[in-house]
Amino acid sequence: LEAKTTARMTTSKDKNKETKFYQLDVAGLPDELFQKEVPASKWLERAVTTTDPKGFPPNTLNQLSPLDKDVERERVIGISLWMIGNVLPFLAPMLAVGSLWSVLAFRMLQFVILYVGTLYGLFYFYFRPKFLRRFPRSSFMSKQDIKGNQYLYTERNTSKYLSLRFVWPKSVADNISSKSKPVIFCTVPHGVAPI
C-alpha cells in the first residue's frame, strides 16, 4: 500500500472515538477491484473500523465468505497440484529407481503419474481457460511485471477459498500515512500448507 492511498482510509463513524483497528474482507472484494490498475484507495474504502482497543468483537473474523463452486473446485485441484509439485522432484526419482527392483514402487510410480496427469489436465485444460475468460490477463508469472503477479486468477481464487481478511492496527496506518516512502507489509500468509 502506498502512503498517498493509505491516508484516505475512512475513519470510524463515531467521531468522538479514535479508530483502533481496520479490517478488509479481501475475499468479499468484487472481482473488478482485483486488478493491478485499481488504486489501493478503492480497496481501503471498503475497510471497516473499530474503536475498541481490544480489536474486533469475538467471532467477527471467523466467518466464511460465499464461495462459488467453480472457484472451490479450481482451488482443490490447483492446491493439490501445487502441493504434489513440491514433492515430485524428490518422489519421482526415488520411485523410478525403486521400480527397477520392486513391483510396489512401480505401481506407486504409475499412480503418481496418473494422479499428477489428471490434476494437470484438469487444471490447464479446463480451469485455466475458464478463469482466463473471467480475468483477462496472463496466467503465468512475469519477471517484468512483479506487481501484476499478485493479480493472477489463482491468487484471486485463493483469497476467496480462504475467506481472506486483513486486520491492521491504527499504528500501522499512522506510520504509513506519515511517511513519504512506500511501506511494505509483511505477513505470515499460511499455516501448515504454504498458500
Side-chain angles (χ1 to χ4, degrees):
L1 299 175
E2 297 173 5
K4 64 183 179 208
T5 58
T6 306
R8 298 176 62 185
M9 271 191 230
T10 56
T11 56
S12 175
K13 291 183 173 74
D14 186 352
K15 299 295 182 188
N16 297 326
K17 293 185 177 182
E18 186 176 301
T19 295
K20 300 294 183 187
F21 291 93
Y22 297 87
Q23 179 193 143
L24 178 64
D25 179 8
V26 179
L29 285 173
D31 287 342
E32 55 271 8
L33 289 181
F34 202 83
Q35 305 290 330
K36 181 178 87 169
E37 297 76 24
V38 175
S41 60
K42 293 290 185 189
W43 287 30
L44 296 173
E45 288 171 3
R46 302 177 66 88
V48 294
T49 61
T50 182
T51 55
D52 187 343
K54 294 179 181 176
F56 289 93
N59 299 318
T60 56
L61 299 177
N62 66 356
Q63 298 172 8
L64 297 176
S65 299
L67 184 62
D68 178 41
K69 289 292 182 193
D70 279 342
V71 170
E72 182 177 14
R73 291 181 189 116
E74 186 275 335
R75 283 295 72 207
V76 167
I77 298 296
I79 291 171
S80 299
L81 183 60
W82 185 74
M83 294 294 281
I84 192 71
N86 284 308
V87 298
L88 199 58
F90 308 103
L91 182 63
M94 288 187 330
L95 289 176
V97 170
S99 67
L100 297 174
W101 294 280
S102 168
V103 174
L104 178 61
F106 181 71
R107 295 288 182 225
M108 289 173 67
L109 181 61
Q110 286 178 318
F111 173 77
V112 168
I113 291 169
L114 179 65
Y115 179 70
V116 172
T118 302
L119 292 176
Y120 185 87
L122 286 169
F123 187 79
Y124 282 98
F125 299 113
Y126 178 72
F127 288 113
R128 186 170 169 260
K130 185 175 198 160
F131 282 98
L132 284 177
R133 285 191 293 276
R134 284 194 204 177
F135 297 96
R137 66 158 273 144
S138 170
S139 66
F140 295 104
M141 300 285 280
S142 168
K143 291 180 181 178
Q144 291 76 34
D145 187 14
I146 301 299
K147 185 178 179 181
N149 291 338
Q150 302 173 77
Y151 301 96
L152 297 171
Y153 76 86
T154 53
E155 302 308 309
R156 177 61 181 144
N157 287 351
T158 297
S159 70
K160 291 178 179 182
Y161 185 74
L162 297 176
S163 294
L164 186 63
R165 288 177 173 79
F166 294 142
V167 175
W168 64 97
K170 182 181 184 301
S171 59
V172 170
D174 288 346
N175 187 35
I176 293 169
S177 61
S178 66
K179 306 281 184 200
S180 60
K181 303 184 257 185
V183 175
I184 297 175
F185 283 94
C186 296
T187 63
V188 179
H190 58 77
V192 176
I195 296 175

